[in-house]
Amino acid sequence: MSWLELVAAGLGIVAVWLTVRQNPWCWPIGLVMVLLYAWLFYDWRLYSNLLLQLLFAALQLYGWWQWTRGGERHDGRKVSRLGMLAALTGLLTGALGAGLLGYLMATYTDASSPWLDSALTAFSLVAQLWMAQKRLQCWALWVVVDLCYVVFFLYSELYLTAGLYAAFTALAVSGWLSWRRDPALQYAP
């Protein structure tokens, strides 16, 4: 465990906690966190996760814009549900991305766990995109992905990061419960 991992983990908890509360400061704090984790994943040779953090950096900026300037009146997005077709399309995109990235990582890199790392990366991107758009289903997907990450990081002997993802899982459950009670969602057609 390094001081960098400890700082990144602390920022991660704060960022997700703010996300549950729909506070737009979750995005700039999350941006710092993902850049620190990009550095760490490079050192750990988890290249799919490194790529994920770099893509998360772009999604942090997109989410910040969506939450503060998106929506019909450009005053920030409101919580909404994905339709069945949109949810299935997102999951299928995640599965295709997982297969493609897994193949590339297994074939062209010395990644320590190319297939599982790639699958978690692809589905994390889907969940993060849904979160930036304030889609309720982001939390259900995060619960599944975060639980898988806990097991993955325990196996990789990255215990602090496994603990971080266990906390993320609890926060995702909290986010699901909180966002389900959001008035914007309750009164949506």
Side-chain angles (χ1 to χ4, degrees):
M1 175 175 36
S2 69
W3 67 270
L4 190 61
E5 185 180 4
L6 190 59
V7 169
L11 289 173
I13 294 291
V14 170
V16 176
W17 180 79
L18 289 170
T19 304
V20 168
R21 282 146 187 76
Q22 299 185 50
N23 184 322
W25 280 102
C26 65
W27 299 105
I29 293 169
L31 179 61
V32 174
M33 177 205 62
V34 299
L35 293 174
L36 291 175
Y37 264 107
W39 186 357
L40 288 167
F41 287 129
Y42 176 78
D43 284 345
W44 297 334
R45 294 181 326 146
L46 294 171
Y47 302 127
S48 290
N49 261 300
L50 165 63
L51 177 61
L52 175 64
Q53 299 311 306
L54 297 177
L55 292 171
F56 271 167
L59 284 170
Q60 295 294 323
L61 296 171
Y62 171 74
W64 198 5
W65 183 84
Q66 285 293 316
W67 281 33
T68 59
R69 305 240 189 312
E72 292 177 18
R73 297 185 318 201
H74 302 287
D75 58 353
R77 281 198 176 253
K78 308 294 183 228
V79 175
S80 61
R81 286 186 179 91
L82 283 167
M84 183 63 74
L85 181 59
L88 290 174
T89 300
L91 294 174
L92 178 60
T93 301
L96 292 172
L100 176 62
L101 186 58
Y103 171 78
L104 293 172
M105 290 295 162
T107 305
Y108 298 107
T109 75
D110 64 343
S112 59
S113 185
W115 294 101
L116 180 57
D117 191 20
S118 295
L120 292 173
T121 295
F123 285 105
S124 291
L125 287 170
V126 172
Q128 189 70 15
L129 180 64
W130 290 353
M131 180 177 285
Q133 297 171 346
K134 278 197 173 179
R135 305 297 190 171
L136 176 65
Q137 291 92 331
C138 75
W139 294 114
L141 185 53
W142 274 127
V143 167
V144 172
V145 169
D146 289 342
L147 284 172
C148 291
Y149 267 125
V150 169
V151 173
F152 176 67
F153 287 128
L154 286 173
Y155 174 78
S156 300
E157 298 180 3
L158 300 170
Y159 301 115
L160 181 62
T161 303
L164 173 65
Y165 277 82
F168 283 165
T169 303
L171 285 167
V173 170
S174 175
W176 171 265
L177 296 172
S178 175
W179 284 24
R180 280 185 44 197
R181 293 186 301 268
D182 186 281
L185 187 63
Q186 295 299 318
Y187 301 112

